[in-house]
Amino acid sequence: MSHSANTALGDGQIPVFDSIAAFREWREELRRQGKTVGFVPTMGALHAGHLGLVKNARKECDAVVVSIFVNPAQFAPHEDLDQYPRSFDSDYASLVESKSCAAILLPKVSEMYPAGITLDRAQQQGTFVEVQGLSHQMEGIPRPHFFRGVATVVTKLFNIVQPDRAFFGQKDAQQCVVVRAMIRDLLLPIRMRALPTAREQDGLAMSSRNRYLTPEMRNIATLLYRAISAAKEVIQTGATNEREEILKPAYAIIEEVTKQVKDQGLPFEVRLDYLSLVDVATLGEIEVLGKEQAAILSGAVYVGTTRLIDNVLINAEEL
């Protein structure tokens, strides 16, 4: 049954379900009452960006479900699955404080992956969902396993929650494009909302991984946002529509900060993973940007061992 009476998992103000069957009973009651359900899938370690999605969902729906599940299928064997921050108590307190969450879904790995799950993709068994054509560029180059894991777990969560609307953050731009295509292709009766990236005052995109940054790293962590913003400015001035010229100031900012970190003898490195300018619909890299072409300007950098991603939209309001 529900964990709502279990003081180890919250204090009963929001029901917490670690059983899919118990959650479905609760969900069925909402259906009988004709209530609309908004859904915010998370991996926990909630920050103001997540809570903004929850509050927006509550404005649009009668009840909001938040899932917390660190999904093994989107991690490779060398990645930080075990280190990924898990902070249920503070997540629960934040959701209570938001006054916007009706239930928390906290599913067990054994229920989510009945056939078992290993991080070695070649050894995985069971059913997986893959969105072909949108999963192997940008973030999919350094992390070829990632979007199959995302598409699979989001499909499973959609099947459990059966939301009317699902809410995602624009920071994970490619994920938004992949999930939207999956909803369309699998004929799911769900309206997806991709809301603007939540940022710190200095522009850094909010992320659960930001907590890995030391104060020295945090001081320079805005370099990616400054870089892609400089590239966006080139587009807005109309100075050029050629990829190389658009990205030139972005590369310059990252090179400058990388050199600065080295020269100051700081105990970490800055390393660019990639910068990208892609078409919103196809995620194909753009060589010459069309006048009204909707595009995503994005990138990833390592600050120490922490990988930061960010993006800005060109000629588009929402992904």
Side-chain angles (χ1 to χ4, degrees):
M1 282 306 289
S2 157
H3 259 311
S4 56
N6 185 335
T7 51
L9 286 175
D11 55 11
Q13 291 185 64
I14 302 174
V16 180
F17 297 94
D18 71 350
S19 150
I20 292 172
F23 175 85
R24 282 184 161 146
E25 278 180 39
W26 178 88
R27 175 68 181 89
E28 186 54 37
E29 184 55 36
L30 290 188
R31 192 188 323 282
R32 280 197 290 270
Q33 294 170 18
K35 290 187 173 175
T36 56
V37 171
F39 178 43
V40 180
T42 82
M43 297 215 302
L46 304 184
H47 51 68
H50 294 115
L51 298 173
L53 292 178
V54 176
K55 286 174 183 171
N56 271 283
R58 182 64 187 90
K59 284 177 194 163
E60 296 185 26
C61 304
D62 296 322
V64 179
V65 174
V66 175
S67 65
I68 297 176
F69 182 66
V70 180
N71 175 31
Q74 65 198 60
F75 289 81
H78 66 279
E79 290 180 336
D80 60 350
L81 174 62
D82 291 336
Q83 282 76 45
Y84 195 86
R86 291 163 173 83
S87 52
F88 178 80
D89 289 345
S90 61
D91 291 348
Y92 180 85
S94 297
L95 289 170
V96 169
E97 200 181 317
S98 78
K99 296 183 170 57
S100 301
C101 177
I104 298 169
L105 176 64
L106 198 69
K108 300 185 191 84
V109 173
S110 58
E111 274 207 283
M112 292 297 283
Y113 292 97
I117 187 72
T118 169
L119 300 193
D120 181 353
R121 182 170 166 168
Q123 301 297 317
Q124 287 174 352
Q125 298 190 356
T127 305
F128 294 86
V129 177
E130 193 155 9
V131 180
Q132 299 282 17
L134 297 173
S135 300
H136 304 293
Q137 53 278 75
M138 298 161 72
E139 286 291 291
I141 295 169
R143 308 180 75 192
H145 54 282
F146 180 70
F147 288 108
R148 184 175 89 143
V150 169
T152 299
V153 81
V154 172
T155 301
K156 288 169 185 267
L157 290 167
F158 282 170
N159 284 336
I160 299 164
V161 177
Q162 302 197 349
D164 297 283
R165 295 187 178 200
F167 296 78
F168 293 82
Q170 185 196 302
K171 182 176 78 77
D172 299 298
Q174 187 172 5
Q175 175 176 282
C176 289
V177 173
V178 166
V179 171
R180 199 178 283 285
M182 184 187 84
I183 288 170
R184 178 198 69 205
D185 293 348
L186 297 183
L187 312 177
L188 301 176
I190 296 167
R191 178 160 179 221
M192 180 181 148
R193 300 278 280 114
L195 300 180
T197 302
R199 299 188 179 278
E200 304 288 356
Q201 282 186 322
D202 62 0
L204 179 68
M206 289 184 181
S207 167
S208 304
R209 287 192 168 98
N210 290 352
R211 62 184 71 191
Y212 297 149
L213 299 171
T214 65
E216 286 175 318
M217 292 172 179
R218 178 64 186 83
N219 285 340
I220 57 111
T222 58
L223 81 160
L224 180 56
Y225 181 57
R226 290 192 289 119
I228 57 178
S229 297
K232 182 173 184 174
E233 211 172 295
V234 172
I235 295 168
Q236 287 172 331
T237 60
T240 179
N241 60 357
E242 291 184 18
R243 172 197 183 81
E244 211 170 297
E245 293 302 310
I246 290 167
L247 294 179
K248 196 179 273 185
Y251 282 113
I253 287 169
I254 289 165
E255 276 171 35
E256 184 191 330
V257 176
T258 305
K259 184 177 182 304
Q260 185 187 321
V261 165
K262 211 172 191 176
D263 291 351
Q264 289 176 10
L266 294 173
F268 59 90
E269 283 184 344
V270 169
R271 179 166 62 82
L272 174 65
D273 193 348
Y274 70 87
L275 286 174
S276 179
L277 177 64
V278 300
D279 181 86
V280 161
T282 66
L283 299 186
E285 293 287 342
I286 295 168
E287 291 305 323
V288 179
L289 182 68
K291 198 169 170 50
E292 301 296 322
Q293 189 172 6
I296 305 168
L297 189 51
S298 69
V301 295
Y302 283 92
V303 178
T305 56
T306 302
R307 187 171 182 273
L308 304 177
I309 64 169
D310 205 348
N311 67 82
V312 290
L313 299 184
I314 310 295
N315 299 325
E317 290 300 311
E318 183 177 325
L319 286 167

